[in-house]
């Protein structure tokens, strides 16, 4: 099987455009996955893999051949290194159809307000899926949920959620849920609030927090009390604390310890 070694190769250039440009991913309705775990996660959810890319030194690897059924394109180590954002390029990439959002409903939902770091967004989606949230709405100003970095941080959570991008805040539908926001001022302690009511959680920008417009619409303003000298948590940490406090109040937590 031929090995792609040139940076001028059409397949290589097409993959690079998809990886680097969200506009290209949206236009072609395609994404790129890194590693066996994400490929498995997409396949379990019925996603469609269009092409496998395998590092040339893994051409005879039994596990890789199991997933690709021998239908793959070999890339040199250097060309995979060019595509990957990891220190060491993965053994496997996959070109896949952008998943069509299924209309999964849940008692609670999340609205993300201008989350700009792909790692934060992916980790937050992972926490949402782990907490049993099915609906996540990406407000204006959020980073692209389908970038390599965001997909890696999500660890497959993307494929268990309905992700909807909202072009403007006027499209937000709150009822019949209450809107809950995290903030520092004029807020009640999280652990004193009754969180069993259907809730639309709003988690805001890493530096500025939730926007003033959404704060004004909130039914619940909540703060996470911390030790002296600490003012705030990373948005993903704050979201995880809130979502699992809600699960605790609803009696949804299993006695089995969660895996790391």
């Amino acid at each position: 099987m031929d090995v792609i070694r040139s940076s001028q190769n059409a397949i290589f250039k097409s993959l690079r455009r998809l990886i680097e440009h969200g506009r290209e991913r949206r236009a072609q309705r395609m994404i790129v996955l890194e590693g066996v775990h994400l490929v498995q996660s997409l396949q379990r959810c019925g996603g469609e893999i269009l092409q496998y890319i395998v590092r040339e030194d893994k051409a005879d690897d039994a596990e890789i051949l199991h997933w690709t059924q021998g239908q793959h394109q070999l890339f040199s180590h250097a060309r995979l290194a060019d595509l990957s954002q990891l220190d060491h390029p993965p053994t496997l990439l996959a070109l896949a159809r952008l998943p069509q959002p299924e209309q999964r409903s849940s008692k609670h939902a999340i609205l993300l307000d201008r989350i700009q770091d792909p790692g934060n967004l992916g980790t937050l989606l992972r926490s949402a899926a782990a907490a049993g949230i099915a609906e996540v709405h990406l407000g204006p100003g959020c980073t692209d949920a389908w970038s390599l970095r965001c997909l890696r941080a999500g660890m497959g959570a993307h494929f268990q959620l309905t992700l909807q991008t909202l072009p403007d805040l006027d499209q937000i539908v709150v009822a019949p849920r209450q809107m809950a926001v995290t903030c520092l001022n004029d807020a009640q302690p999280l652990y004193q609030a009754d969180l069993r009511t259907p809730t639309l959680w709003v988690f805001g920008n890493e530096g500025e927090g939730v926007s003033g417009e959404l704060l004004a619409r909130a039914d619940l303003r909540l703060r996470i009390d911390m030790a002296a000298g600490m003012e705030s948590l990373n948005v993903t940490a704050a979201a995880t604390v809130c979502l699992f406090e809600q699960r605790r109040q609803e009696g949804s937590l299993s006695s089995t310890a969660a895996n790391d």
Side-chain angles (χ1 to χ4, degrees), residues 142-188:
C142 280
T143 190
D144 182 14
W146 300 103
S147 68
L148 278 186
R149 187 178 170 200
C150 189
L151 282 163
R152 282 200 310 272
M155 292 291 289
H158 290 67
F159 313 130
Q160 300 180 43
L161 302 167
T162 297
L163 299 178
Q164 182 178 9
T165 300
L166 302 176
D168 59 68
L169 295 180
D170 291 337
Q171 296 195 17
I172 297 168
V173 177
V174 179
R177 300 177 173 111
Q178 64 179 351
M179 181 186 284
V181 303
T182 55
C183 58
L184 298 176
N185 301 316
D186 190 25
Q188 64 174 306

Side-chain angles (χ1 to χ4, degrees), residues 29-60:
R29 306 294 297 170
M30 295 180 186
I31 58 175
V32 179
L33 307 176
E34 271 187 314
V36 171
H37 176 79
L38 283 178
V39 172
Q40 289 177 307
S41 297
L42 179 65
Q43 290 178 326
R44 280 196 297 266
C45 296
E48 181 183 1
I49 303 294
L50 301 174
Q51 186 175 31
Y52 294 98
I53 307 297
V54 175
R55 206 173 66 206
E56 63 175 321
D57 60 303
K58 294 294 183 178
D60 298 320

Side-chain angles (χ1 to χ4, degrees), residues 194-215:
D194 185 345
L195 303 177
R196 292 169 293 181
T197 300
T199 303
L200 175 66
W201 288 97
V202 181
F203 301 112
N205 175 266
E206 291 90 342
E208 299 175 0
V210 176
S211 69
E213 179 180 350
L214 291 171
L215 282 172

